[in-house]
Amino acid sequence: MSTSERLIESTRELLWERGYVGTSPKAILERAGAGQGSMYHHFKGKPDLALAAIRRTAEEMRATASAVLDGPGTPYERIAAYLRRERDVLRGCPVGRLTMDPDVIASAELRAPVDETLDWLRERIAAIVEEGKEQGQFAPGLDGREIATAVVATVQGGYVLARASGSPAAFDAGVRGLLSLLAPRTP
């Protein structure tokens, strides 16, 4: 792995663990096993490196979600698979956690990949809900965008509840509750 790749990966990990303020250039260099001038050789500085790391994290989240949402099954089954997919619930969402970082939110440039990724996810889920409505699987009165927002809010809120309690049980309960509300009705 190249030095720039090690710097990006180290920054991704540190942002997830410590947030932007808690991620010092020194910590990045130590984690990456890189020399003192390495960051400035490859990046303009910490904000530039953080942006590369946030973009990479956002791309990874999209790829992971796409693999499930574009997978086999009915619209309900694909949404259920997304909600139930393997996650490190107690660690939280690497993208969602960035929304709690005041320095990321204060920077339009750092916030953009986070916002774009969450928008993409809501749009993708909304399209699946609309597909399910067309197939008669979901009630015709459901609003795909509202359901998609509820799905994302359940995941992100589930992370918060699980972290607060130190147990994935709250996350799992939120997922079960939402899926029971979305479950296709049989005549």
Side-chain angles (χ1 to χ4, degrees):
M1 185 182 307
S2 71
T3 301
S4 64
E5 283 297 309
R6 288 196 327 268
L7 289 167
I8 291 170
E9 289 303 311
S10 296
T11 303
R12 288 180 64 201
E13 293 168 12
L14 289 164
L15 286 172
W16 196 1
E17 293 168 14
R18 304 179 183 182
Y20 185 83
V21 171
T23 300
S24 68
K26 181 180 178 185
I28 294 168
L29 293 170
E30 285 176 4
R31 174 87 46 112
Q36 198 149 24
S38 298
M39 181 166 46
Y40 299 101
H41 175 73
H42 296 283
F43 301 94
K44 294 175 193 162
K46 178 182 167 183
D48 188 43
L49 177 53
L51 181 59
I54 292 168
R55 283 183 178 147
R56 176 81 52 84
T57 298
E59 289 166 8
E60 187 177 278
M61 180 179 165
R62 285 183 193 205
T64 301
S66 284
V68 177
L69 294 171
D70 298 338
T74 66
Y76 175 83
E77 290 167 343
R78 292 178 357 240
I79 291 171
Y82 170 74
L83 287 166
R84 292 179 175 143
R85 77 169 179 77
E86 189 69 33
R87 292 176 166 85
D88 189 351
V89 175
L90 295 179
R91 196 164 180 212
C93 175
V95 172
R97 285 190 63 181
L98 293 169
T99 66
M100 303 304 292
D101 193 310
D103 291 297
V104 171
I105 294 305
S107 166
E109 191 174 32
L110 293 177
R111 187 180 66 247
V114 174
D115 191 33
E116 291 162 6
T117 298
L118 293 173
D119 281 348
W120 171 86
L121 183 59
R122 285 193 304 270
E123 289 298 319
R124 185 67 197 100
I125 294 170
I128 293 170
V129 171
E130 293 303 321
E131 181 185 330
K133 285 169 48 178
E134 289 169 12
Q135 295 175 6
Q137 190 172 26
F138 295 133
L142 288 182
D143 182 302
R145 289 178 188 262
E146 290 177 358
I147 298 302
T149 299
V151 169
V152 174
T154 297
V155 170
Q156 295 301 321
Y159 282 127
V160 171
L161 294 174
R163 285 174 56 84
S165 67
S167 167
F171 184 97
D172 296 340
V175 166
R176 285 192 309 274
L178 180 58
L179 288 174
S180 70
L181 293 173
L182 282 179
R185 306 291 180 236
T186 53

